[in-house]
Amino acid sequence: DMTTGSPVKLIVQFMIPMFLGNIFQQFYNVADSIIAGQFLGVRALAAIGSTGSLMFFVTGWLNGLSSGFAILVSQWFGAKQYDRMRHYVAMSVYLALGFALLMTIGFGFVNYSDQIMPDVKAYMGIIYAGLIVTAAYNSLAAFLRALGDSKSPLYFLIISAAINVVLDVAFIIFGGMGVEGCAYATVIAQGISAVLCLIYIIKKFPILHLKKEDFKISLSAWGR
């Protein structure tokens, strides 16, 4: 309950895991760059390293979108109007899915050429195709934060970041894959973090369990 106790202490305790979570979401790309450079060479390092700003844009945009969802969910949670809260969660699922698909299609038309660009296209093409799992993690994490839990999403992110490193090495060394292996590792790791969030919500937050009626389309909810 974040309505009792020292406001400053509560805000700081809630903020630090969110701050660290933002850092760890960038860790995927950093780890991919380091491992690719170590095992695949300078060209792979340059290719993945050059995508840092694109990764930051994509994850930052989806993170900002999901934070917007969390504001509305937290408002209805605080008002103890749980039916409306679950309805906004369901509408957020629609929006997250829609925006992830639009971004995947839109970024799919970006052209790359010559030198390191084929590797960039190979890497980012897979990342874009997996945006739906990125959106899933950010949305589920936002729902947990909306109910006052900012630590669990961080723990799941740390686990998935470690898995990403292991998969990077496995796909490159044992799978004989190039930069595509790093991209697949990132998407799979992000998918694992989303699944962990979902399992945690199912087991620990029955208040977030959605029913069929929660998914009834509401244009007014989307507009908010």
Side-chain angles (χ1 to χ4, degrees):
D1 185 358
M2 295 187 67
T3 62
T4 58
S6 169
V8 174
K9 182 179 179 180
L10 288 169
I11 291 172
V12 171
Q13 288 178 339
F14 185 81
M15 176 193 69
I16 290 176
M18 289 185 63
F19 173 75
L20 293 175
N22 289 333
I23 293 176
F24 269 96
Q25 278 208 294
Q26 301 306 314
F27 179 79
Y28 292 118
N29 185 252
V30 174
D32 288 350
S33 298
I34 294 173
I35 294 172
Q38 184 71 29
F39 295 104
L40 296 175
V42 176
R43 179 171 171 173
L45 171 62
I48 297 178
S50 68
T51 66
S53 58
L54 289 173
M55 291 287 289
F56 179 79
F57 172 76
V58 170
T59 57
W61 205 92
L62 289 173
N63 191 34
L65 182 69
S66 61
S67 295
F69 299 156
I71 292 173
L72 294 171
V73 173
S74 64
Q75 285 177 341
W76 294 114
F77 174 68
K80 301 188 186 303
Q81 296 189 31
Y82 303 128
D83 287 341
R84 298 206 64 176
M85 178 198 73
R86 284 188 289 269
H87 176 64
Y88 276 91
V89 169
M91 294 304 100
S92 298
V93 171
Y94 282 135
L95 288 172
L97 177 61
F99 276 106
L101 291 175
L102 284 174
M103 291 175 73
T104 297
I105 294 171
F107 285 127
F109 288 105
V110 176
N111 292 320
Y112 304 95
S113 61
D114 302 334
Q115 300 298 321
I116 65 170
M117 290 299 111
D119 284 340
V120 173
K121 183 175 183 178
Y123 179 79
M124 290 307 298
I126 296 168
I127 296 296
Y128 292 149
L131 282 180
I132 191 168
V133 296
T134 307
Y137 167 76
N138 280 282
S139 296
L140 292 168
F143 299 149
L144 287 172
R145 295 185 191 112
L147 272 61
D149 183 357
S150 63
K151 293 181 180 179
S152 297
L154 173 62
Y155 298 151
F156 300 144
L157 198 57
I158 292 173
I159 292 171
S160 68
I163 291 173
N164 179 56
V165 172
V166 174
L167 291 178
D168 275 343
V169 175
F171 287 162
I172 292 174
I173 295 180
F174 303 108
M177 303 175 73
V179 295
E180 295 93 338
C182 293
Y184 282 121
T186 294
V187 172
I188 292 171
Q190 288 181 327
I192 290 173
S193 65
V195 170
L196 290 174
C197 278
L198 181 60
I199 293 173
Y200 186 72
I201 287 173
I202 291 173
K203 290 189 174 183
K204 300 294 185 179
F205 288 89
I207 197 175
L208 285 175
H209 293 182
L210 303 179
K211 302 174 184 177
K212 184 178 179 180
E213 55 267 25
D214 295 323
F215 287 94
K216 184 177 180 180
I217 301 255
S218 171
L219 296 179
S220 62
W222 286 354
R224 295 192 64 180

